[in-house]
Amino acid sequence: MDTEKVKADLEKALGPVALKSVRSSLLVENAQDLPKVAKFLKEDAAYRLDYLSSVTASDFIDYLETVYHLYSMEKKTGPVTLRVRVPRTDPKIPSLVSLYRGAEFQERDNFDLFGIVYEGHPDLRRIMMWEGFEGFPMRKDYLQEDSETLESVDVEWLEKNGVKVPEAAKAKAVELRQQGKRALAERRVEDKG
Amino acid sequence: MNKTFEAKDVNLAGINSSLLEVNIGPQHPSTHGVFRMNAVLDGEVIVSLKPVMGYLHRNHEQIAENMSYAASMPYTDRLDYFNSMSNNLGYALSVEKLAGLEVPERAEYIRVIMAELTRLINHIAVIGFLLNDLGAFFTPVLYAFREREKILDIFEEISGSRMMCNYLRFGGVKRDLSPAILERIRGVVTAFPRFLDEFETLLTKNEILCMRCQNVGVLSPELAINASITGPLLRASGVNYDIRKVDGYSVYPRFQFKVPLGPKGDVYDRYYVRILEMRESLKILDQALNTIPAGEIMSKKMIPFLKSPRNFKPPVGEAYARVESPKGELGFYVVSDGTPQPWRYHVRAPSFINLTILEDMCLGQKVADAIIILGSVDIVLGEVDR
């Protein structure tokens, strides 16, 4: 669908909403406007975008972004792509679950892997990673644990359970602890971000 | 010594003792993999059911973001390991959209043939396993697998692997189909309707199947659309939405086929819609085999990158492409920053999103029905957990 036309229609119907065309999609500049925009697109007779195909997030270092692909099952048209950008420090976006049930698991997925908080989601928990997992694996600054190196907690646990730990590994664990560091995998040079 | 347990230590205040919480799975044959359903039962009736997934999570998306574009192609086979060719097709389409590649006509036909053969294998296996869940222990599955094996043999001959095919490339396919192979595919396509008739004689009007499946797990079309349900699950609820028709990707607009719809949206309709879809797939295969043109199988632009895939750098931008995989809408969202690795790679997995309404379909049903409802949703955990 023609992004400029969608933009004009939205501005006409909703009054002052800050919208910007980015790569044949509409950037909703104020995250709080999103439910209003989605509701209009879902209910307006000219659009009837009743099917939220995909909700996904990206990490662009300066900000986190959520992208929505909307289609219409009734009119067999689409997609209209909406995107919302939020700062990394306080990533909060209003949830679309009350409008589209299909967002339920996908928003949980983004919360789990990117740490974006969807306000108003009925059951915002981790979905792929286990409860108590720390960090957000899909963010570009996420550092993986080094599974080869033991930390002092690991050494304690292993010895408690009767596993003999090599002296070299123990010394490394002590050294890490003294430096106040964790055993993290070194990033490859060609890694981005 | 541990302290001995005494009845007065247990505080029963606020606990509803008439309800029973049961974990079905993660190690349970009828969950089709490592998947858990956290069910709360009142007697035998389900009052709440929460799906729990993630046991097979390996962060496929992050792995793909640290590899070249072509290196993710074999990994897409492992998403939904029943339909590797459909997964390949979805990923190839999204990268082709991103890089603006044209695919030669013959390659498009080969892709359609492979995607439809995949649909046959998937649907036949799903029906077999659904019957397994119903208690028809392994007899229908063996009939189904006998036919599936014939198609897998064809896959092995053209791609070198039965299930992990890795056959499609950006801008075409890896290897051409010889006339002998086309003849073999034609043989399967001619023989398949007879097998389907035989299968249907056993099942479609079977009294036990009808009693167990009809009016069980009904999904209303309104809820199905609202919850982004796709594939046979959606069409069994009577919503006419097939991406092959709507988007008309590849060369699908050239073929005549119908979109089967179900009247009620219960488990039986999902079974029967899949049978009808197989018959439509056979029509597509027949037309494709009759009209497949001669010619190139790889886009000229992509031939240099076959030997050096890390030099392939799509222009800065993003693309979302979707295909009608046998399980529903399979979408790939790829963002390029101009380097050999994608900046963002996302899989819109149909069976993951189709699980959203599992609870809605199971409420008020018996435990045994929850098993067949899950079977009729058709999930593969490799794709759900990604």
Side-chain angles (χ1 to χ4, degrees), chain B residues 6 54 62 71 77 109 152 197 276 315 327:
Chain B
E6 284 174 40
Q62 196 188 50
D77 294 339
Y109 272 77
L152 290 186
D197 292 341
L276 294 176
K327 292 185 165 55

Side-chain angles (χ1 to χ4, degrees), chain A residues 23 42 51-53 56-57 59 67 69 71 76 83 99 101-102 109 127-129 137-138 140 192, chain B residues 53 57 59 62 65 226-228 230 240 318 320 322 329 333 342-344 346 348 356 360 384 386:
Chain A
R23 293 200 288 220
K42 188 186 171 190
Y51 167 45
L52 176 61
S53 162
T56 181
D59 181 0
V67 186
H69 292 269
Y71 287 82
K76 310 247 188 304
R83 55 180 75 227
L99 272 175
R101 263 298 291 287
D109 194 33
I127 189 165
M128 294 298 169
M129 311 306 286
M138 283 299 288
K140 294 285 176 187
K192 296 156 283 189
Chain B
M53 63 271 268
H57 182 60
N59 218 337
Q62 196 188 50
E65 282 167 21
N226 193 252
S228 305
T230 43
N240 186 348
E318 65 174 49
Y320 179 72
R322 51 186 203 151
E329 172 184 332
Y333 173 74
W343 178 260
R344 175 81 177 110
H346 172 71
R348 187 256 187 230
T356 314
D360 302 66
V384 173
R386 300 192 305 290

Side-chain angles (χ1 to χ4, degrees), chain B residues 106-329:
Chain B
R106 185 175 173 85
E108 291 277 27
Y109 272 77
I110 297 176
R111 286 174 173 200
V112 167
I113 291 172
M114 292 308 142
E116 293 309 315
L117 284 177
T118 308
R119 198 178 311 278
L120 290 180
I121 333 182
N122 180 73
H123 284 358
I124 203 68
V126 169
I127 293 172
F129 283 121
L130 176 66
L131 267 294
N132 230 12
D133 293 342
L134 275 167
F137 194 66
F138 264 98
T139 311
V141 176
L142 281 177
Y143 278 101
F145 268 47
R146 186 188 66 194
E147 296 308 306
R148 179 172 175 262
E149 211 59 28
K150 291 176 189 162
I151 300 176
L152 290 186
D153 284 346
I154 294 174
F155 282 179
E156 185 173 15
E157 195 161 330
I158 57 175
S159 71
S161 177
R162 282 153 39 84
M163 286 172 81
M164 306 296 142
C165 298
N166 183 21
Y167 177 61
L168 269 57
R169 292 289 178 274
F170 309 133
V173 294
K174 192 181 167 198
R175 207 175 282 134
D176 203 357
L177 297 185
S178 68
I181 279 286
L182 284 172
E183 227 20 73
R184 268 183 75 185
I185 299 175
R186 194 184 301 279
V188 167
V189 172
T190 359
F192 210 85
R194 212 175 133 228
F195 156 71
L196 269 185
D197 292 341
E198 180 193 38
F199 212 50
E200 274 209 77
T201 325
L202 288 172
L203 302 175
T204 301
K205 285 182 183 156
N206 184 305
E207 204 180 333
I208 303 172
L209 184 99
C210 291
M211 281 179 72
R212 282 294 307 278
C213 294
Q214 281 172 347
N215 300 317
V216 169
V218 178
L219 175 65
S220 71
E222 296 77 29
L223 179 63
I225 296 176
N226 193 252
S228 305
I229 306 305
T230 43
L233 195 58
L234 174 76
R235 291 190 286 274
S237 292
V239 183
N240 186 348
Y241 196 77
D242 187 320
I243 296 161
R244 290 175 293 174
K245 290 271 190 202
V246 176
D247 281 10
Y249 61 91
S250 198
V251 284
Y252 277 110
R254 297 186 195 176
F255 304 124
Q256 302 274 326
F257 63 100
K258 290 188 191 124
V259 181
L261 301 178
K264 266 189 296 194
D266 53 9
V267 174
Y268 185 82
D269 286 349
R270 281 170 220 148
Y271 153 77
Y272 201 57
V273 159
R274 289 198 173 102
I275 292 268
L276 294 176
E277 269 189 21
M278 281 192 276
R279 295 198 186 274
E280 296 303 317
S281 286
L282 289 168
K283 280 189 204 164
I284 300 175
L285 279 168
D286 191 44
Q287 294 168 55
L289 288 169
N290 285 335
T291 51
I292 183 167
E296 293 292 314
I297 52 152
M298 270 301 283
S299 153
K300 288 220 165 53
K301 251 168 113 182
M302 283 307 288
I303 290 172
F305 297 115
L306 284 176
K307 288 261 164 63
S308 56
R310 281 196 72 85
N311 289 347
F312 176 59
K313 295 172 192 163
V316 179
E318 65 174 49
Y320 179 72
R322 51 186 203 151
V323 293
E324 182 70 38
S325 110
K327 292 185 165 55
E329 172 184 332

